[in-house]
Amino acid sequence: MTQTLVERVTGQQFAEDTNVEVHLVMDAETFTGQDTGEPVDLTGYGPISPSVADDIIAGAPNAWIRRLLVDPVDGTLIVREPRRRHFDTTTASHIRARDQRCRQPGCDLKIRHHDHIHAHIDGGESTVANGQGLCTRSHTLKHVPGWTVTAQGRDTIWQTPTGHTYISKPPPLLPKDQPHHLRQ
Ligand SMILES: [Zn+2]
C-alpha cells in the first residue's frame, strides 16, 4: 500500500535509483512524535494515517522524505525539514545490527529509522560512525530545536532542551556475564 501511494504521487518506484522527494505535511504533535491519530497529508495524494507515513519514511531506500510542519490555526508552513539522505543497505544493516534498539537514552523501542547524527545537509557522512538507529518518536524529537545530538566514537551524546546530558552506548551483542559455550 505504501509503495503504491508513493508510486502514484511520484510516478517512480522504490527499487529504482531515483531522486524522488516525498512531502509529508503534518501538525506539531505528529511532527514531534506524539501519536494523536491526526492524518498526515501526502502531497499530491491526500490524507494518510501517521502509521502509513511512518512506513513510507522507514521503507523508502531511494526516496527523499521531507516533513513539513504546518501552523495548527491557519495551516501555513512553519518548518521545512532539511533534506535527509538515506544510508545504503549495507551501512543501514550494520547500524541496525550494532544498535539493536532505539539509541535515544531511556528509549527501548524498535529501530524504524537510520539517522545521520551529524545531519547530511551539514556535511555529515552516510557512514556507520555517523549513523544511529532510532524509533520514529526519537527521530522526530532529535530535530526539534533545543535538542543536540553528537557522536563521540561509538557513543552518542544527547543534550536535552533543559541542559541535561545523556550518553548512549551501543549494546554488547554477547552478554559479558555468561560463559559462552561453543557447540561441539
Ligand atoms: Zn526511541
Side-chain angles (χ1 to χ4, degrees):
M1 179 185 178
T2 299
Q3 182 153 346
T4 308
L5 284 182
V6 175
E7 275 179 29
R8 206 173 294 176
V9 172
T10 62
Q12 305 284 353
Q13 294 186 358
F14 283 160
E16 292 170 5
D17 188 19
T18 52
N19 287 325
V20 175
E21 184 170 307
V22 179
H23 285 176
L24 297 171
V25 182
M26 60 192 74
D27 63 15
E29 282 73 26
T30 309
F31 191 86
T32 54
Q34 298 167 54
D35 191 9
T36 61
E38 283 295 311
V40 170
D41 192 80
L42 176 59
T43 302
Y45 180 80
I48 56 175
S49 79
S51 65
V52 173
D54 273 355
D55 288 343
I56 290 175
I57 295 171
N62 294 312
W64 307 88
I65 307 292
R66 198 193 291 276
R67 287 172 298 185
L68 307 176
L69 172 63
V70 293
D71 187 293
V73 177
D74 62 11
T76 55
L77 181 66
I78 300 174
V79 173
R80 184 166 174 269
E81 184 182 52
R83 177 177 275 207
R84 281 209 298 271
R85 200 186 175 90
H86 288 262
F87 292 90
D88 67 60
T89 314
T90 310
T91 309
S93 299
H94 184 124
I95 292 168
R96 194 176 284 266
R98 181 196 62 195
D99 292 350
Q100 301 286 306
R101 312 292 288 185
C102 174
R103 283 290 297 275
Q104 186 192 353
C107 183
D108 194 36
L109 292 177
K110 251 178 87 176
I111 292 174
R112 297 294 299 273
H113 306 282
H114 304 102
D115 173 55
H116 286 75
I117 300 169
H118 182 55
H120 183 263
I121 197 163
D122 297 329
E125 294 180 340
S126 299
T127 58
V128 167
N130 189 41
Q132 63 178 343
L134 294 179
C135 72
T136 302
R137 181 180 298 255
S138 298
H139 196 201
T140 49
L141 186 71
K142 172 177 179 275
H143 291 277
V144 171
W147 288 80
T148 311
V149 182
T150 50
Q152 206 170 80
R154 265 178 276 183
D155 298 345
T156 54
I157 316 296
W158 287 67
Q159 278 180 296
T160 71
T162 51
H164 293 85
T165 299
Y166 300 92
I167 298 174
S168 166
K169 293 177 179 297
L173 299 188
L174 294 172
K176 268 186 179 164
D177 51 353
Q178 290 173 17
H180 305 300
H181 299 287
L182 295 176
R183 284 192 185 175
Q184 301 293 325

